Amino acid sequence: MDVHRCRFVPYPTSTINAVAFSHASAPNKKGKGPSTLRLAVGRANGDIEIWNPLKGIWLQETIIRGGKNRSIQGLVWTHDPEEEGRNGQKLPGALRLFSTGFSTSITEWNLALGKPRRHVGANYGEIWCLAAQPRRQDLVQAGHILDETKGDAEIEFAQHLVVGCADGTLVLFSTGDDDLKFQKILARPSKRKARVLCIAFQTRNVIVAGYADSTLRVFDIRNGRQLQSMSLGAGPRGGPSEILVWSVKCLPNGTIVSGDSTGEVKFWDAKTYALSQRIKSHEADILDVVTSADGNTVVSGGMDRRTAIHKPMGKQGQRRARWAEISHQRFHSHDVKAMATFETRDMSVLVSGGLDSKLVILPLREYGKENSRGLTPLPRTPPLQSSPSQRLIVSWWDREVSIWRLKRSPSVVGLQDSDCGLEDSQAKKLVAKISLQGEESITSAALCSNGSVLAVSTVSETKIFNLTIQSPEKSNRIKVQKLQCPATLSAEGAKLLQFSPDAKWLAVIRNDSSVQVHRLTKEETDIEKLVFSGQFAFLHRLRRERKPSLLECGSLGNYEQSIDKVVFSADSRILVTGDLSGNLDSWVLEGHEELTLQTVQTNGIDKTSAIEHSEDEAVSDDEDQPTIILGQHWMRNPAASLLPKLPSAPVVLSFRPLKTSDASVLTNGTMTVHPTRHNPNPHSHDLPRGEDRLFALTSEHQIHEIEVLSGKLSDWSRRNPFPNLPPEFKETRDRAVGCVWNVAVGRERIWLYGSTWLWMFDLSQDFPSPSNEAVNGHSSSDGALISAETPRKRKRAARDKDTGAGSRIADHESNLGLTSDIRKLRWKDIDQSKWMEVGRGQSSDSDGQEDDDDDDDDDDARFLDNGDSLLALRRKTDDSPGTNGHLEDTMDLDDSKATRDENTLALSNNEKGSPYWHTYKYRPILGIVPLGTEQEMENRAEGQDGDGYGSSMSIEVALVERPSWDTDLPPRYQGNQEWIK
């Protein structure tokens, strides 16, 4: 694979201003959180990211795009009370997301549509902060103080929102009745009009607000009475006279914890509101403070990039234990602006973000015993498209689209560099730039295969551009012209756009996840120009019954049925979409193209909502009368109901491309269907017969290959279940974001990539069976020897043992200098001794016991004991060292100093039969797109001297990297004895 490493493609990441979990901590509950647990991340460009923790996997599910002059400064979730269904059964309450950002209004978001649901103005100045009233049952589970009457204890009321404004006003809103209504003003502006910087609930009815005038004030939201005002004193000598209280939180016992501009963490008594202790933990402003569910840990983050951990010192249960800073570390390269925590019995994490735009996941309960983890700020869906034949790369961000042209690789035989219009000194050139009018940011863009049409969508509209590629002799520029497309295409926004490989169809996924296909035709005056004639069809999804969530988990509504992936087959006659729940919908293009036939629009006027949930049944009568477009029509795949539901959301969906030999096969003419008196609008019923194998990679990194037209797994997929995948690939924590195929010269290789890795799988081979390794004396992944006589028990996966952040820190890597395991002995029963882990109080044997929790089922155990003998007969049993997938000599495709002999050696080693290969050389990867025509691939495959070097370089790709050091950030705080600038 010939790789062009590209770092010129712009994609500026944005500051994280707010993070919020959808559920309150439940330290006494088993598992790693409810299925509806989500993390919302607000950025300075107005984007809101929705992350699914997935028991420690951390998948970025959705990005709700922002717009011009928009910013997210605060995020809160609320959980509505339980509802009563039609049959009298109780239904879980809705989970609702609210935000503020340098405006006078609160915005509630519709997650399924990716759009605002409502805006409610405070009309009392710019909102600086907001807080949600905790639910009563959440307070009970966490052991908080309750201040309510006997009647209030019997009813779970809707939560209230409290917002703080720039003029010092505190306003109370109600979220009851599925609405957001103004209730009353808790505090009016004072004479000084000090800004309200932070708010926290001490109890369900008492709030604590931090101001910009060196004060903390306590209010009762039931009557608006101010209970207390606490002064922080004067500012530091030589600095501002006022202290800014940037963050305030409350412990379960009512103790108030604040962080301010002096870098001090202050503790205030719950009853007397007197200052009990102050700790100088930071050299600059503390921007946020969070606490653990049990109240025994306080974490602060600030402008000095420190994350400081505080714990009470003294005997457990001591009334006046003194707090102390036990550790601090710099996990971020700039200011730490926002933090949030979530805890259950098996999960305990702290999420932080700031100016460096990356999320950091820290272990809270197991701090110092587990590694932290950084999540990439790059989007999960790469904002990249390419036209391989024209060597064009399209990238987009915010409201701007850039089009680049790359120089041909010198390894291509028989082609000159001047063919692509670039001089010898130019490796790339910016040939066009498009800036969209309006305020909304781009949600998706698509470039057709010949590079002549570009489609761009926002949340409110879809725009089509015609790209005219001028000859290299003139200017080597691209002329961009906006096309006047029909209102059926442009009037609405879209979340996903995708052209078919033959550039005849455009798939449009609307905001409500409805599916449309629009036909492109050649213009009569210019046959080289493609236009949209208004011919389109609605594609109806299967109606599925939504599985109800548990009452205490809450409901996300139709969000999990939102379409996340769309892909065409290589012959453009099969279309497949995948949603966040793992469901696949498929359609096929029936009939032959006949340009002389008229379009019969029958179902275009009836737009059935894409997200409907009832029992599987035929949709409407309109779907039985399809829209016939030029003799063809899209119909539901006859085997659509047989397609298996994926265990989790797909992160990669891709059809196998047509091989060169398959693509050159010509059909035996086109069977024309003539109209008759009884059938004035005839159409052929010919179904696709091309490649229908769909490669699907889920968020849990399970690989499935599905034969779409038959609705079953392919032979390769049945022979290679999840346990057979390489262990290092299964343990990779960064999720995949895309793939590139290599099917030249009879190959069947797929290159998968994430933000920090690149893996190659050869689908013409089978992976080694894991049963061959679990034999006499073989060491397991944790170093323990496995005996042949020892019965194999179900072992919990390595990720199940951590608390949701990184992996466990090995003893030799720990700063303690001691092992974390001790042996508990009794002088009479030495044989009954057990190993225990320090800090857990449980024997190591308990971790090895069988777990009856269905959520922790390990797929490895299901396949290890079944079918080993059958697999051994159906696959190769070569256990030579060359099949382990680890190459001693790897190839730097961009290193000009690398010799041809070294490359040939590395590639020839890979040709010996290794079914997989990987590298961590490229990072962070924004995306990979293919380049070059089929003729170039054939020339490259033929080789220069017939020694195999050319055949190893059969595909050419552009790999776009966005290293963090290229990001423009404001100057950061430099403390004492810091020499790194």
Side-chain angles (χ1 to χ4, degrees):
M1 184 168 66
D2 193 2
V3 178
H4 297 266
R5 300 183 70 173
C6 307
R7 293 184 177 176
F8 54 84
V9 177
Y11 190 83
T13 55
S14 184
T15 299
I16 296 177
N17 289 332
V19 291
F21 280 102
S22 59
H23 293 70
S25 296
N28 297 322
K29 285 189 176 181
K30 293 183 179 180
K32 291 188 175 182
S35 59
T36 55
L37 176 65
R38 296 296 186 273
L39 172 70
V41 179
R43 295 188 179 269
N45 62 354
D47 290 354
I48 297 180
E49 301 174 3
I50 306 298
W51 290 77
N52 188 346
L54 274 177
K55 303 178 183 179
I57 293 179
W58 295 98
L59 173 69
Q60 183 193 81
E61 289 185 335
T62 304
I63 299 180
I64 302 175
R65 294 297 181 182
K68 185 178 180 180
N69 299 327
R70 300 179 190 174
S71 178
I72 302 298
Q73 296 296 321
L75 287 171
V76 294
W77 295 79
T78 62
H79 188 169
D80 285 350
E82 299 173 0
E83 302 175 356
E84 186 174 346
R86 297 179 180 177
N87 300 327
Q89 76 278 17
K90 289 187 177 181
L91 300 178
L95 294 169
R96 301 164 63 184
L97 177 63
F98 300 88
S99 72
T100 59
F102 292 147
S103 66
T104 60
S105 63
I106 306 174
T107 302
E108 181 181 358
W109 295 92
N110 188 322
L111 300 183
L113 299 181
K115 300 169 61 177
R117 186 182 180 190
R118 60 170 59 93
H119 299 281
V120 177
N123 297 325
Y124 291 98
E126 191 176 80
I127 297 176
W128 272 70
C129 57
L130 82 163
Q133 182 184 33
R135 297 198 307 161
R136 181 185 181 279
Q137 63 185 61
D138 295 336
L139 294 177
V140 172
Q141 293 176 359
H144 282 256
I145 298 176
L146 297 179
D147 56 343
E148 56 188 11
T149 63
K150 184 177 180 180
D152 294 339
E154 300 175 356
I155 303 175
E156 184 69 51
F157 295 99
Q159 295 172 262
H160 290 84
L161 296 182
V162 179
V163 300
C165 303
D167 59 358
T169 305
L170 287 172
V171 186
L172 182 69
F173 291 86
S174 172
T175 63
D177 300 327
D178 193 27
D179 201 351
L180 183 62
K181 300 178 181 179
F182 168 81
Q183 288 290 101
K184 58 184 174 182
I185 299 176
L186 297 178
R188 294 192 177 274
S190 60
K191 294 181 179 180
R192 304 176 64 178
K193 293 187 178 181
R195 299 189 305 273
V196 184
L197 301 178
C198 56
I199 302 172
F201 276 83
Q202 185 185 27
T203 65
R204 184 170 167 81
N205 297 311
V206 176
I207 64 170
V208 182
Y211 287 76
D213 60 352
S214 305
T215 60
L216 283 166
R217 299 172 190 174
V218 185
F219 297 89
D220 190 325
I221 65 174
R222 291 169 293 190
N223 50 31
R225 185 168 61 91
Q226 179 175 326
L227 303 179
Q228 187 64 278
S229 177
M230 300 103 78
S231 175
L232 279 71
R237 181 177 300 178
S241 58
E242 304 289 350
I243 298 176
L244 308 179
V245 184
W246 289 114
S247 180
V248 61
K249 293 294 186 297
C250 298
L251 300 179
N253 61 3
T255 300
I256 301 172
V257 185
S258 65
D260 52 52
S261 58
T262 63
E264 292 183 347
V265 177
K266 296 181 173 66
F267 297 86
W268 307 81
D269 187 84
K271 295 182 179 180
T272 64
Y273 299 112
L275 179 63
S276 59
Q277 188 180 353
R278 65 175 69 192
I279 302 175
K280 179 69 174 178
S281 302
H282 297 261
E283 299 177 359
D285 295 41
I286 295 177
L287 301 181
D288 202 2
V289 173
V290 293
T291 66
S292 62
D294 59 4
N296 289 327
T297 305
V298 173
V299 185
S300 59
M303 291 180 59
D304 58 355
R305 312 190 305 279
R306 284 184 178 183
T307 300
I309 312 296
H310 309 81
K311 286 184 176 294
M313 298 290 102
K315 295 182 180 180
Q316 187 175 5
Q318 186 176 355
R319 183 176 181 181
R320 293 188 175 274
R322 301 290 294 177
W323 289 81
E325 177 189 342
I326 64 169
S327 175
H328 72 264
Q329 193 170 344
R330 290 186 173 95
F331 298 99
H332 293 270
S333 60
H334 219 290
D335 299 4
V336 183
K337 296 192 66 176
M339 296 189 294
T341 61
F342 180 79
E343 294 183 80
T344 62
R345 186 179 299 181
D346 300 319
M347 186 176 186
S348 178
V349 294
L350 180 148
V351 178
S352 61
L355 262 68
D356 59 1
S357 72
K358 71 176 182 179
L359 280 175
V360 174
I361 313 297
L362 299 177
L364 187 58
R365 188 185 308 127
E366 298 295 319
Y367 181 81
K369 299 179 182 179
E370 294 180 1
N371 291 298
S372 62
R373 179 183 173 190
L375 302 180
T376 177
L378 302 179
R380 183 167 65 90
T381 301
L384 294 173
Q385 291 272 315
S386 71
S387 173
S389 60
Q390 300 297 332
R391 306 190 64 81
L392 297 178
I393 297 179
V394 175
S395 66
W396 62 90
W397 61 279
D398 286 352
R399 296 168 303 282
E400 186 174 287
V401 181
S402 300
I403 305 177
W404 304 80
R405 174 171 285 173
L406 264 63
K407 185 178 180 180
R408 282 193 174 92
S409 171
S411 62
V412 179
V413 182
L415 294 173
Q416 301 296 328
D417 294 337
S418 60
D419 294 341
C420 63
L422 297 182
E423 300 177 358
D424 294 338
S425 60
Q426 290 181 304
K428 87 281 184 180
K429 185 175 182 180
L430 180 65
V431 294
K433 181 178 289 188
I434 304 173
S435 296
L436 299 185
Q437 297 180 354
E439 296 184 352
E440 288 83 7
S441 297
I442 297 173
T443 56
S444 182
L447 180 67
C448 69
S449 56
N450 59 13
S452 61
V453 179
L454 173 67
V456 182
S457 66
T458 65
V459 73
S460 61
E461 61 180 343
T462 302
K463 298 182 179 181
I464 308 297
F465 299 92
N466 182 66
L467 307 181
T468 303
I469 304 176
Q470 301 179 359
S471 60
E473 292 79 8
K474 293 183 178 181
S475 63
N476 191 39
R477 286 281 182 178
I478 291 182
K479 181 180 179 181
V480 180
Q481 181 181 5
K482 183 179 177 181
L483 295 181
Q484 297 296 330
C485 52
T488 54
L489 174 60
S490 61
E492 296 183 53
K495 64 170 66 175
L496 287 174
L497 299 173
Q498 183 64 51
F499 281 102
S500 61
D502 61 3
K504 294 182 179 179
W505 300 93
L506 173 64
V508 181
I509 311 299
R510 297 298 186 184
N511 297 322
D512 61 351
S513 290
S514 60
V515 184
Q516 298 178 3
V517 284
H518 293 255
R519 185 64 159 86
L520 285 82
T521 57
K522 294 181 179 180
E523 194 176 43
E524 296 180 358
T525 58
D526 186 1
I527 61 175
E528 299 295 331
K529 188 175 181 181
L530 297 175
V531 295
F532 288 91
S533 59
Q535 302 167 341
F536 75 102
F538 285 106
L539 304 184
H540 300 267
R541 300 173 62 186
L542 282 174
R543 295 185 178 182
R544 300 178 176 92
E545 183 178 1
R546 189 176 67 200
K547 183 179 179 181
S549 58
L550 299 177
L551 294 178
E552 63 271 15
C553 294
S555 172
L556 292 171
N558 299 329
Y559 168 72
E560 294 182 340
Q561 281 67 45
S562 301
I563 293 179
D564 182 53
K565 296 293 179 183
V566 56
V567 60
F568 279 96
S569 62
D571 60 358
S572 304
R573 299 195 63 182
I574 306 177
L575 177 65
V576 175
T577 62
D579 60 23
L580 295 176
S581 64
N583 288 316
L584 300 177
D585 290 282
S586 58
W587 301 268
V588 296
L589 182 61
E590 185 184 54
H592 296 288
E593 181 182 23
E594 182 58 49
L595 299 179
T596 60
L597 296 180
Q598 296 180 355
T599 298
V600 180
Q601 193 86 13
T602 58
N603 70 348
I605 59 175
D606 178 28
K607 179 180 178 180
T608 303
S609 177
I611 306 178
E612 297 188 27
H613 310 285
S614 61
E615 297 181 357
D616 291 352
E617 57 184 12
V619 283
S620 62
D621 295 336
D622 291 329
E623 191 175 2
D624 297 332
Q625 302 174 358
T627 300
I628 304 172
I629 302 176
L630 302 180
Q632 296 177 304
H633 79 278
W634 287 92
M635 60 174 290
R636 180 180 295 165
N637 176 22
S641 60
L642 300 178
L643 295 181
K645 179 182 178 181
L646 301 178
S648 57
V651 293
V652 174
L653 279 183
S654 179
F655 279 96
R656 287 205 189 198
L658 295 175
K659 297 182 180 179
T660 306
S661 58
D662 298 336
S664 61
V665 176
L666 298 178
T667 59
N668 188 18
T670 301
M671 303 298 295
T672 303
V673 182
H674 300 282
T676 64
R677 181 178 61 180
H678 300 288
N679 187 11
N681 301 305
H683 65 278
S684 172
H685 294 277
D686 180 64
L687 293 176
R689 297 187 296 269
E691 180 64 74
D692 70 331
R693 286 177 292 180
L694 176 69
F695 182 92
L697 178 66
T698 69
S699 58
E700 298 175 350
H701 272 192
Q702 297 186 22
I703 293 179
H704 305 275
E705 190 177 48
I706 304 170
E707 295 178 358
V708 176
L709 295 181
S710 60
K712 62 181 182 179
L713 294 177
S714 67
D715 294 337
W716 181 90
S717 186
R718 288 196 298 268
R719 296 194 308 269
N720 295 271
F722 178 72
N724 293 19
L725 296 180
E728 189 169 354
F729 178 75
K730 292 189 293 185
E731 296 172 1
T732 300
R733 292 183 178 266
D734 290 336
R735 301 297 91 186
V737 296
C739 70
V740 178
W741 287 90
N742 180 9
V743 294
V745 200
R747 290 191 177 93
E748 299 180 26
R749 295 179 178 176
I750 184 171
W751 293 81
L752 299 171
Y753 64 92
S755 61
T756 58
W757 51 265
L758 181 66
W759 275 81
M760 184 278 296
F761 292 120
D762 191 346
L763 304 188
S764 64
Q765 305 181 57
D766 292 334
F767 299 123
S769 174
S771 60
N772 296 333
E773 301 176 0
V775 292
N776 300 334
H778 190 279
S779 60
S780 62
S781 59
D782 56 0
L785 292 180
I786 301 176
S787 174
E789 293 77 10
T790 303
R792 285 178 293 180
K793 296 182 178 180
R794 196 192 76 78
K795 293 185 63 179
R796 301 177 67 183
R799 192 174 289 112
D800 291 338
K801 297 179 181 179
D802 59 47
T803 59
S807 58
R808 300 285 295 181
I809 299 178
D811 293 336
H812 66 277
E813 297 177 355
S814 176
N815 297 327
L816 299 177
L818 299 173
T819 179
S820 60
D821 292 338
I822 61 173
R823 193 174 186 184
K824 185 177 181 180
L825 298 175
R826 293 183 180 179
W827 69 277
K828 289 185 178 181
D829 300 324
I830 298 180
D831 295 337
Q832 302 297 325
S833 60
K834 295 182 179 180
W835 284 98
M836 300 178 62
E837 186 174 354
V838 177
R840 286 197 171 186
Q842 296 178 354
S843 64
S844 59
D845 293 344
S846 63
D847 291 337
Q849 294 177 358
E850 296 186 6
D851 191 353
D852 296 330
D853 190 357
D854 295 336
D855 294 338
D856 293 333
D857 285 343
D858 191 356
D859 291 334
D860 291 3
R862 268 195 318 219
F863 294 98
L864 281 177
D865 296 330
N866 298 317
D868 285 347
S869 58
L870 178 62
L871 291 177
L873 294 175
R874 300 178 62 181
R875 71 189 325 136
K876 299 178 181 179
T877 56
D878 184 12
D879 293 332
S880 61
T883 63
N884 60 4
H886 300 278
L887 303 181
E888 296 296 334
D889 299 315
T890 58
M891 173 178 150
D892 187 350
L893 297 175
D894 288 310
D895 190 356
S896 58
K897 298 181 180 180
T899 64
R900 179 174 171 180
D901 294 337
E902 292 174 348
N903 293 337
T904 304
L905 174 62
L907 293 166
S908 62
N909 286 340
N910 196 28
E911 295 287 343
K912 290 182 180 179
S914 174
Y916 55 89
W917 180 85
H918 68 279
T919 180
Y920 298 97
K921 173 183 177 180
Y922 309 102
R923 61 175 61 190
I925 300 176
L926 178 64
I928 300 178
V929 292
L931 295 174
T933 62
E934 293 183 1
Q935 182 63 37
E936 294 177 3
M937 294 179 61
E938 292 177 0
N939 293 341
R940 192 180 290 108
E942 291 176 359
Q944 296 181 356
D945 299 324
D947 58 356
Y949 174 74
S951 61
S952 298
M953 307 279 285
S954 56
I955 62 172
E956 183 181 3
V957 299
L959 188 150
V960 180
E961 296 175 292
R962 290 303 303 157
S964 58
W965 56 82
D966 284 352
T967 305
D968 293 331
L969 295 175
R972 69 184 186 187
Y973 174 82
Q974 298 292 341
N976 298 329
Q977 298 182 352
E978 291 187 25
W979 300 281
I980 300 178
K981 303 296 183 184

